[in-house]
Each structure stands twice: as C-alpha cells, then as structure tokens.
C-alpha cells in the first residue's frame, strides 16, 4: 500500500510556520532533482506557544514545505536506502527569535504515477488548456503500485507518498504524528 504524507489531525494551528522563500520555492521541490543550497531553509514562528510541546513533534507544517525534527532526520539519515531516494535539506527553525538547528525538508528524488485519475477530482489549471496540467481538489491514490520505494512525489501533484516500508519504519521508531491514510 501507499499513503499520502500527512500530519496528525491534532497538529495545532498555532504551530503553523512561515517559510522564508529566499533559497528555493515549492516549485523547486516538485522537480525530483537534487538541490544545492548555500544556506539552510528558514522557518519562523512568532507566537506564544509551549516550545517544549512544539519541539516534541516529528513533522511540522508551514506555508511552504513540511519539515521534520532533528530526531526523525537523524533516524532517516542513518537509513542508507532512504537517503538514496530522498534528499534531506537543512533547515533552521526560529521560534520567537531563538534558532533551532537539525531540522530537515524532504526532497524526494523520484516521482511515481500514483493518482487514480478515475476516482480523483480535478480541473484544468488553465482554462485555455483543458487537456493540460490538472489541479487536484481530491486525490485518491492507486493501490496497485508495485514499485519498491520509501518516499516519492505523486506525478502531476505536489503530494508526497510513502510506502509500507516507511510506515513500518515510523512505527518501529515510535513516530506518532504522521497519519497513514
């Protein structure tokens, strides 16, 4: 089976980070190609929150890409198979002016055709190109994927999908804030 990478439903809205778009854009992360950065990506949060509770999560949401904790990053960096398929980009998290290091952003280096276009809902991105790129309003994943992978981009979408291998890895390492749907 494959699953869309999603955060737990109890992820607080107050933990929504702002992504500083200087080095790369979301479009760069959709190319499935290695990215070379001179500086880490920067995410900021300027709200009164429990920093201890916030830092207990393993995956975080932003107005840009999602990013992961130093704990999960270390676990994944030590998995040779995973790092062949996914580049982990350095990120700095700034919470109320204090910098935290060791965070990473996923950059899957492969894409797979995993959207069930018959069951998904979409519309043309451009009215002038009805057969061109699609904007998906509801994505249903195919479950007949036989490729051996850990994480990939869904072809034609910004959606990241994970395999049973990564799901099992997360369960074995007590990563609880990723939902497997």
């Amino acid at each position: 089976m494959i699953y869309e990478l999603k955060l737990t439903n109890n992820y607080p809205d107050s933990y929504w980070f702002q992504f500083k778009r200087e080095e790369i854009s979301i479009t760069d992360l959709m190319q499935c190609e290695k990215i070379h950065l001179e500086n880490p990506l920067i995410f900021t949060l300027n709200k009164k929150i429990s920093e201890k509770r916030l830092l207990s999560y393993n995956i975080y949401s932003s107005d840009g890409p999602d990013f992961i904790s130093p704990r999960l990053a270390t676990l994944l960096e030590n998995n040779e198979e995973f790092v062949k398929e996914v580049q982990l980009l350095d990120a700095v998290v700034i919470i109320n002016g204090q910098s935290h290091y060791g965070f990473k952003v996923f950059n899957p280096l492969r894409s797979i055709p995993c959207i069930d276009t018959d069951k998904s809902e979409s519309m043309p991105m451009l009215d002038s190109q009805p057969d061109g790129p699609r904007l998906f309003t509801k994505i249903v994943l195919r479950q007949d994927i036989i490729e051996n992978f850990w994480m990939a981009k869904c072809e034609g979408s910004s959606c990241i999908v994970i395999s049973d291998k990564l799901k099992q890895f997360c369960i074995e390492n007590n990563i609880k804030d990723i939902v497997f749907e």
Side-chain angles (χ1 to χ4, degrees):
M1 287 193 61
I2 65 170
Y3 311 91
E4 183 175 353
L5 179 65
K6 289 186 175 184
L7 280 73
T8 181
N9 292 334
N10 66 358
Y11 185 83
D13 290 341
S14 60
Y15 294 176
W16 194 269
F17 285 80
Q18 287 81 44
F19 174 54
K20 193 172 182 183
R21 292 166 169 76
E22 287 184 356
E23 288 273 333
I24 63 168
S25 70
I26 297 297
T27 308
D28 295 326
L29 291 168
M30 294 178 67
Q31 304 303 314
C32 297
E33 295 176 3
K34 281 208 177 225
I35 297 173
H36 302 285
L37 298 175
E38 291 186 26
N39 300 302
L41 302 174
I42 298 174
F43 296 87
T44 59
L45 183 67
N46 293 310
K47 293 183 180 176
K48 283 195 168 200
I49 47 99
S50 166
E51 198 169 307
K52 182 179 178 182
R53 182 167 179 244
L54 170 72
L55 294 174
S56 72
Y57 281 85
N58 289 292
I59 188 165
Y60 302 90
S61 215
S62 80
D63 60 358
D66 292 341
F67 58 98
I68 60 173
S69 69
R71 176 182 176 263
L72 180 54
T74 299
L75 289 169
L76 292 171
E77 285 174 324
N78 289 324
N79 183 313
E80 290 178 21
E81 290 180 38
F82 181 84
V83 294
K84 287 180 185 175
E85 295 180 20
V86 180
Q87 179 185 19
L88 294 172
L89 302 169
D90 290 331
V92 173
V93 171
I94 302 170
I95 303 169
N96 294 320
Q98 184 176 353
S99 296
H100 300 268
Y101 299 90
F103 293 83
K104 303 285 183 176
V105 171
F106 292 126
N107 181 30
L109 300 175
R110 67 189 289 191
S111 65
I112 57 175
C114 57
I115 297 175
D116 185 331
T117 53
D118 294 333
K119 295 179 182 173
S120 296
E121 296 173 10
S122 67
M123 58 187 184
M125 280 184 158
L126 302 170
D127 290 336
S128 61
Q129 296 179 356
D131 296 325
R134 311 289 298 170
L135 176 63
F136 287 91
T137 54
K138 176 185 169 191
I139 293 177
V140 176
L141 300 175
R142 294 178 32 217
Q143 291 304 319
D144 61 347
I145 304 294
I146 56 173
E147 290 188 50
N148 184 18
F149 74 101
W150 285 80
M151 175 183 281
K153 278 282 189 204
C154 238
E155 258 180 35
S157 167
S158 62
C159 170
I160 294 177
V161 291
I162 62 177
S163 67
D164 275 323
K165 286 194 299 189
L166 187 52
K167 175 185 176 183
Q168 191 60 39
F169 178 89
C170 289
I171 291 168
E172 290 169 4
N173 287 285
N174 204 26
I175 307 298
K176 296 182 178 178
D177 42 1
I178 298 176
V179 178
F180 303 102
E181 293 180 345

